[in-house]
Amino acid sequence: MTAPDISDAGSRAETGSSVDAGSSTAAVSLVDVGKIYGKGTAAVTALRDVSVRIRRGTFTAVMGPSGSGKSTFLQCAAGLDRPTSGAVRLGGTDLSSMDETRLTELRRERVGFVFQAFNLMPSLNVWENITLPLRLAGRRADRRWVEEVVDRVGLAGRTKHRPAELSGGQQQRVAIARALVARPEVVFGDEPTGALDSVTAKEVLTLLRDTVDSMGQTVVMVTHDPIAASYADQVLFLADGRIVDTMAGAGADRIADRMTHLGAWA
Ligand SMILES: Nc1ncnc2c1ncn2[C@@H]1O[C@H](COP(=O)(O)OP(=O)(O)OP(=O)(O)O)[C@@H](O)[C@H]1O
Ligand SMILES: [Mg+2]
């Protein structure tokens, strides 16, 4: 077991420095998480002894070379997949003890997702797409709250439009609103700006940053892009399934430099 190497210790660098899953300030914590896909000679180890604690109200970027385990990390942290070993906690809840039904409920009520492909329902308008998770959970949409979220993501006036009538950035903002509307404890994004041009990506990143700063949202985002990662409070670097470094408050140049070195090892 290897503890994350905290080379940039600072007030915001405590992620990973202590595994204190019981702390009330942890939004998500992983303790000695391992993930092996497949069996026997086909087995692939995607995560090894990953321990990290992500504080509430922070923006975390997860970076690393292709195949380093970023998506696996996100899926295990979000309860979309189960680790082979170790424990994942969301708030105070241990996900490993939950059966599939409870895990599905947890994903619906306590977690939001934003993917590279916006995954909107083409036949539903913006308002219907945003409120779909609430309806699936059998919850009534609080109109004032939905309006506030729509406003915040800059889609007021577009709620009657279908996804095909919106730009890529607007579609991703619908997906972010959909993720926020259930007031999730954590919003997870896997390359949420991966399909966007740099100007539009910047808008989406600014919006994610704003949900952290003004709504106290916790955001965990996988990205390949050092500029995207520079919007985060802290960056976790994965290589070969392990957290090999964390950085707090780093600019894009420093992050890119770190990535170059990781790439050399991969
Ligand atoms: N369903 C699966 N079955 C078998 N192996 C898998 C599966 N999903 C991922 N892997 C393997 O696990 C490792 C980590 O994959 P993962 O998708 O987490 O990487 P990643 O860092 O997200 O990569 P990328 O940047 O290319 O998206 C890789 O070796 C991958 O081939
Ligand atoms: Mg991936």
Side-chain angles (χ1 to χ4, degrees):
M1 192 179 70
T2 326
D5 163 23
I6 306 294
S7 58
D8 295 85
S11 62
R12 291 188 297 180
E14 75 173 69
T15 295
S17 62
S18 65
V19 178
D20 176 14
S23 164
S24 61
T25 59
V28 194
S29 59
L30 280 73
V31 183
D32 294 339
V33 165
K35 175 70 182 180
I36 301 170
Y37 290 110
K39 288 199 160 63
T41 50
V44 176
T45 302
L47 294 178
R48 308 164 196 266
D49 299 324
V50 170
S51 292
V52 70
R53 184 171 154 267
I54 293 171
R55 290 197 300 152
R56 279 188 212 287
T58 60
F59 189 174
T60 301
V62 181
M63 299 196 81
S66 181
S68 59
K70 301 181 296 296
S71 294
T72 305
F73 172 89
L74 204 75
Q75 281 165 10
C76 288
L80 283 170
D81 200 354
R82 288 180 189 275
T84 312
S85 54
V88 177
R89 290 195 185 83
L90 184 79
T93 312
D94 183 353
L95 304 195
S96 37
S97 60
M98 297 183 118
D99 62 21
E100 280 310 315
T101 312
R102 286 188 58 210
L103 212 50
T104 304
E105 274 171 21
L106 173 132
R107 286 196 297 263
R108 221 179 249 163
E109 289 170 12
R110 296 175 54 186
V111 172
F113 299 97
V114 187
F115 298 100
Q116 177 168 349
F118 318 128
N119 296 341
L120 302 175
M121 301 289 283
S123 62
L124 300 182
N125 68 30
V126 166
W127 184 277
E128 292 163 342
N129 264 288
I130 291 171
T131 54
L132 185 62
L134 294 177
R135 282 183 279 132
L136 288 175
R139 286 159 67 183
R140 255 171 49 93
D142 169 354
R143 175 166 281 277
R144 292 249 306 271
W145 170 243
V146 179
E147 278 168 358
E148 187 182 327
V149 169
V150 163
D151 218 29
R152 201 173 275 278
V153 301
L155 287 169
R158 308 305 297 264
T159 56
K160 295 285 192 290
H161 289 79
R162 300 246 166 103
E165 297 162 343
L166 302 175
S167 71
Q170 287 168 334
Q171 290 185 54
Q172 193 59 306
R173 285 189 268 140
V174 176
I176 292 170
R178 180 183 57 186
L180 293 173
V181 80
R183 305 177 195 265
E185 287 168 52
V186 185
V187 171
F188 291 97
D190 197 346
E191 303 272 2
T193 57
L196 304 175
D197 63 73
S198 60
V199 175
T200 312
K202 203 172 162 191
E203 278 171 31
V204 166
L205 290 160
T206 303
L207 172 62
L208 288 172
R209 181 72 250 174
D210 180 58
T211 68
V212 175
D213 293 338
S214 61
M215 299 166 79
Q217 187 63 58
T218 308
V219 177
V220 181
M221 168 186 80
V222 166
T223 181
H224 276 107
D225 176 7
I227 295 174
S230 71
Y231 283 75
D233 298 304
Q234 61 252 335
V235 187
L236 306 181
F237 293 93
L238 281 173
D240 198 21
R242 293 180 198 278
I243 296 180
V244 293
D245 201 1
T246 67
M247 271 185 191
D253 288 349
R254 253 181 85 212
I255 295 168
D257 193 48
R258 192 71 187 88
M259 277 298 289
T260 307
H261 289 94
L262 284 182
W265 307 342

